[in-house]
Amino acid sequence: MRALFTLMMGVTLAVPGAVWADIPPTMSYQGVLADDMGEPVGDGEYELTFSIYDLASGGSALWAETQTVTVTGGVLDAVLGTSTPITLTFGSAYWLGISVEGEAELEPRVELTSVPYAHRAAIADSVVGGGGSGA
């Protein structure tokens, strides 16, 4: 019984630290890289430049990063912000532009949208003085 109590206390004490952890300055992105005919590109490594804008077209990038990304079956996975942290506030709409191997940016840009947990965080941010009504 004492071991169970010690374990429960350890879990209880660990939770507050997780709640107050900083939000990482990175963002996951997954996509399909296709050629002009819409066919997936060959497997391999490609140099991609990711840029974030506050406009659907035109304007200047607010953030940018170039990565060498492994593509398999046309599918790519990247974690944006690994070399250049993303420090934008995300208080307004943003679009992601992608350039492959130094070519012109692909069109159209991808509108960044929120995820369900971000909606929940917005609700938490609106609570004055912290607090809340549940676990």
Side-chain angles (χ1 to χ4, degrees), residues 15 23 32 36 40 42 44 47 64 72-73 75 79 82 100-101 111 130 133:
V15 171
I23 297 170
V32 175
D36 292 338
E47 185 179 86
T72 305
V75 176
V79 177
T82 55
V100 181
E101 298 289 333
E111 184 175 9
S133 60

Side-chain angles (χ1 to χ4, degrees), residues 55-81:
L55 298 168
S57 64
S60 297
L62 303 174
W63 171 90
E65 177 175 85
T66 300
Q67 296 184 15
T68 300
V69 177
T70 300
V71 177
T72 305
V75 176
L76 67 99
D77 289 296
V79 177
L80 311 183

